[in-house]
Amino acid sequence: MQKASVLLFLAWVCFLFYAGIALFTSGFLLTRLELTNHSSCQEPPGPGSLPWGSQGKPGACWMASRFSRVVLVLIDALRFDFAQPQHSHVPREPPVSLPFLGKLSSLQRILEIQPHHARLYRSQVDPPTTTMQRLKALTTGSLPTFIDAGSNFASHAIVEDNLIKQLTSAGRRVVFMGDDTWKDLFPGAFSKAFFFPSFNVRDLDTVDNGILEHLYPTMDSGEWDVLIAHFLGVDHCGHKHGPHHPEMAKKLSQMDQVIQGLVERLENDTLLVVAGDHGMTTNGDHGGDSELEVSAALFLYSPTAVFPSTPPEEPEVIPQVSLVPTLALLLGLPIPFGNIGEVMAELFSGGEDSQPHSSALAQASALHLNAQQVSRFLHTYSAATQDLQAKELHQLQNLFSKASADYQWLLQSPKGAEATLPTVIAELQQFLRGARAMCIESWARFSLAVSAWALMATQTFYSTGHQPVFPAIHWHAAFVGFPEGHGSCTWLPALLVGANTFASHLLFAVGCPLLLLWPFLCESQGLRKRQQPPGNEADARVRPEEEEEPLMEMRLRDAPQHFYAALLQLGLKYLFILGIQILACALAASILRRHLMVWKVFAPKFIFEAVGFIVSSVGLLLGIALVMRVDGAVSSWFRQLFLAQQR
């Protein structure tokens, strides 16, 4: 062969593998399009007048600012139970003594003494629980996807709209100190910065001590509008010692002293935010989606009363991204364009002395601005890509239109506002939560359906008594139905033995196209749960579209232009998984070619996998052809039905 032919052929084979990997990655490790659109004060998030006529006022944008300054203390890996108040234990029972419990006593003291000034929340974090992805979520309000986790070690500047950009655009002075990851994410964004190296997880004190050297002098100077301090000691202590080590108690006690010092220096127009970017496992690690990793602490405090009621006995659970729209509106900034978080409406109530009606109206106004921004984002995003489910998106937009119309009517008819306000708030919250759930479904979760299907074929192979070695072949299968033998025929017994051996591969491959119905089956099960009797009339009113749903098989007819593309993608994913298996067997046989067991184990395993791949690929083609044939028959039936109706 010619040199060029060899290279071209190898390049073509490599391209096929690259294409398979890219295709599989696009479905398994979902990604999303990062829009570069930005919100601005000159362009409100939607039609209608802004609340309180705030447009044009100094320091105001979509909504008049409630705080002039914010101190954001980010304690890396501050798990929720690290900050959870420790109530008095039951008499005659010994108190629970763990190194990380009760060390942030200042939070509990503030919550008890000034209940209208502070709140502790359980911040629900979206995986992956790696620092860079959490910083993106805490500044953009978006959902970094799983494949973004690799960039945790080589951060790039954030191109999406974010709080830091909005602050600098508004002329606010942002001072940062701590983890140098921020330097790469927001280059040149800070009026003053003190960066410290973050990668040495064995070092518990360098970053924290560096922050403390500058924190109080900077705060006392007054030359700042937003002060951000990102401490790393707790996270590094978790990686080095774990949360149950005495060193963790020391680091948390140090953070408690930091919070006390900040509270003593706060002025009335300043909001203190103490947050963890993620939690940690019992071993002190993070990155996954276990309960301890996705549960972080969030504490808010202001010298002036901002909460109309006392804290609940159990802290409220809020999505981490909800902090972004909340801070934006509290500071009089536009909500970042790509935010999908829901404002923490309680902070817009006006304090303990405010009237219930005015508090509810302020909450509805904040939620409506938030809903307008999210609706605008969904519209822009869906026009640029096909990631989001069309029908669910349509339902959400209908819900938003109804909620927005009810809100505008409420402003024009104050007499009936008291009865309508709870319904409007419920509708707006349902839209925001539905939008976030849809985005999570599309971006931040990955489906194991195809992988599990391929693994089930292998599991069935072994569970039916087969082994990938020649002595384990069920030769007696050749005589099933033919006790007298086959005479001189050889292909029939070979076919029977092959069918017995590779039946699982064949059946699962033929049935693979049925996985297209799996999302609709899950949806219908979820719909049955949601169709239980609603708790109140408001719930019944805001979900009228759930009363009637088409049969799930008919849902495939909603987008016939995507049907064959979905079949192609499904088939390629299945072939890719099978290809990975045979590639692994080929590598094992090659590497262990001089092993004493190569002819007994490794070579037979490769042969079985190769034959199984051939059988599965043929079965997959048969299954797809069968589904296409059924689809053609259904299409023909629909056409005949349509023509009959026209007559």
Side-chain angles (χ1 to χ4, degrees), residues 255-271:
M255 294 299 101
D256 189 60
Q257 295 175 5
V258 170
I259 295 171
Q260 291 183 47
L262 291 172
V263 168
E264 294 170 358
R265 290 170 168 81
L266 286 181
E267 298 181 356
N268 289 337
D269 64 344
T270 307
L271 176 68

Side-chain angles (χ1 to χ4, degrees), residues 533-551:
N536 54 57
E537 295 181 0
D539 289 342
R541 283 197 297 270
V542 298
R543 290 198 297 264
E545 70 275 8
E546 294 181 357
E547 295 178 359
E548 294 184 6
E549 281 286 338
L551 192 63

Side-chain angles (χ1 to χ4, degrees), residues 443-467:
W443 301 333
R445 298 289 181 263
F446 45 89
S447 173
L448 294 176
V450 180
S451 302
W453 196 258
L455 292 175
M456 285 173 62
T458 303
Q459 173 64 26
T460 305
F461 174 81
Y462 287 101
S463 63
T464 51
H466 296 92
Q467 295 290 332

Side-chain angles (χ1 to χ4, degrees), residues 517-593:
L517 298 178
W518 177 252
F520 304 113
L521 178 62
C522 295
E523 183 178 324
S524 65
Q525 291 175 343
L527 178 62
R528 283 195 292 270
K529 294 179 182 178
R530 294 196 301 269
Q531 284 181 336
Q532 297 299 322
N536 54 57
E537 295 181 0
D539 289 342
R541 283 197 297 270
V542 298
R543 290 198 297 264
E545 70 275 8
E546 294 181 357
E547 295 178 359
E548 294 184 6
E549 281 286 338
L551 192 63
M552 63 183 180
E553 290 86 348
M554 295 297 104
R555 292 281 302 280
L556 291 175
R557 309 302 311 166
D558 290 348
Q561 68 275 16
H562 299 310
F563 179 64
Y564 293 127
L567 275 177
L568 173 63
Q569 188 180 51
L570 181 67
L572 288 176
K573 286 180 181 179
Y574 195 72
L575 290 175
F576 178 76
I577 295 172
L578 297 179
I580 289 293
Q581 293 178 350
I582 191 173
L583 177 62
C585 290
L587 290 175
S590 177
I591 295 171
L592 301 171
R593 63 188 180 278

Side-chain angles (χ1 to χ4, degrees), residues 22 24-34 143-148 381 385-388 439 442-446:
F24 180 75
T25 301
S26 67
F28 186 71
L29 300 177
L30 297 175
T31 58
R32 65 176 176 86
L33 178 67
E34 292 189 352
L143 294 176
T145 57
F146 187 83
I147 201 169
D148 288 339
Y381 188 91
T385 182
Q386 302 297 321
D387 288 357
L388 304 177
C439 292
S442 300
W443 301 333
R445 298 289 181 263
F446 45 89

Side-chain angles (χ1 to χ4, degrees), residues 39 44-46 50-51 62-63 140-141 319 321-329 333-345 348 362-378 400 407 428-433 435-436:
S39 300
L50 292 173
W62 295 353
M63 177 176 280
T140 66
V321 291
S322 294
L323 184 62
V324 172
T326 303
L327 289 181
L329 293 184
L333 300 171
I335 300 175
F337 189 90
N339 163 77
I340 58 169
E342 174 191 340
V343 291
M344 300 155 65
F348 298 87
Q363 293 181 25
S365 298
L367 287 166
H368 185 250
L369 280 173
N370 189 186
Q372 285 182 308
Q373 168 265 314
V374 172
S375 175
R376 180 186 63 178
F377 166 71
L378 293 179
F400 169 72
Y407 172 76
L428 292 170
Q429 288 178 330
Q430 186 186 354
F431 166 74
L432 290 168
R433 293 167 188 176
R436 180 175 177 271

